[in-house]
Amino acid sequence: MTQAQKTHHLAVAALLAAVAAVLQFIEFSIPIMPAFIKLDISDLPALLGTFSLGPVYGAAIQLVKNLLHLPFGSSAGVGELSNFLLGAVFAFIAGMVYKNHKKRSGALWGSVAGAAAMALISLPINYFIVYPAYVVLYGLPLEAIVGMYQEILGTVAQVPTSNALLNCLLVFNVPFTLCKGLLDVALCFLIYKPLSPLLHK
């Protein structure tokens, strides 16, 4: 790789990270989810970066995006840490699969695998890090958090296990995270080709 190509890669990565940081502020509530869970497409630039620059760049874009968002967050960095971990897994796995199978099908299966991995890892991250932190930071009892889920779908928090929070995460958060990732995948496939001349050099 020439020095000009390295410079171009860094410039593209920086631009994508900046766009991702802006997109992180544009979020929407979903009627079937508790109000504190929002939908955004800030993983999209990292997905573009992982396909055009490589998996390490994709993960780095996620890191810079969350560092830029950190001063404006209200979760003492917990939300940004979670977003980075999930997004880095998504982008890195997608990029690694595509790196070894440089075809459109490789990009598709890689990004779907990344979205699935992000959804699966969201379960322990939310269970062990995010929700316990919310209880401490906001003084919000765990029962109140579970209650927000129960208001949407009745007694879903009581089945199929005896752990109400785990049930909520399985029924709501994991599918939501998967759908969020798949939305980014769909958008990426729509805009990647038109943007390709700008992303590659």
Side-chain angles (χ1 to χ4, degrees):
M1 184 185 298
T2 66
Q3 185 59 45
Q5 288 174 318
K6 290 179 181 178
T7 302
H8 179 262
H9 281 197
L10 289 173
V12 170
L15 177 61
L16 289 172
V19 172
V22 172
L23 290 175
Q24 201 168 8
F25 287 101
I26 305 173
E27 53 187 16
F28 308 92
S29 297
I30 306 297
I32 61 171
M33 297 295 291
F36 57 85
I37 297 178
K38 307 288 186 180
L39 173 67
D40 67 70
I41 57 170
S42 65
D43 292 327
L44 175 59
L47 203 55
L48 294 169
T50 203
F51 290 143
S52 59
L53 306 175
V56 173
Y57 280 95
I61 289 168
Q62 294 284 20
L63 175 61
V64 174
K65 173 192 77 174
N66 281 287
L67 289 175
L68 292 173
H69 189 269
L70 188 59
F72 306 98
S74 58
S75 63
V78 175
E80 286 77 15
L81 174 62
S82 172
N83 189 282
F84 165 66
L85 293 174
L86 297 179
V89 166
F90 182 22
F92 190 79
I93 290 179
M96 285 301 295
V97 173
Y98 180 65
K99 185 178 180 180
N100 292 292
H101 304 279
K102 288 211 168 185
K103 297 179 180 179
R104 186 177 176 85
S105 59
L108 175 60
W109 289 113
S111 54
V112 170
M118 177 173 67
L120 290 174
I121 201 174
S122 73
L123 184 61
I125 287 177
N126 278 310
Y127 187 82
F128 291 109
I129 299 176
V130 176
Y131 284 87
Y134 284 168
V135 170
V136 173
L137 290 171
Y138 300 113
L140 190 63
L142 197 56
E143 293 77 11
I145 295 175
V146 171
M148 295 179 191
Y149 287 95
Q150 289 176 317
E151 287 179 8
I152 298 170
L153 201 56
T155 58
V156 67
Q158 275 79 51
V159 292
T161 77
S162 59
N163 189 316
L165 178 59
L166 181 60
N167 291 333
C168 292
L169 295 176
L170 284 169
V171 173
F172 287 93
N173 291 60
V174 172
F176 171 79
T177 305
L178 177 61
C179 291
K180 178 176 179 287
L182 294 178
L183 174 61
D184 288 315
V185 172
L187 292 173
C188 180
F189 272 75
L190 283 174
I191 68 174
Y192 186 85
K193 191 171 182 179
L195 292 178
S196 186
L198 297 174
L199 301 173
H200 295 275
K201 184 175 181 180

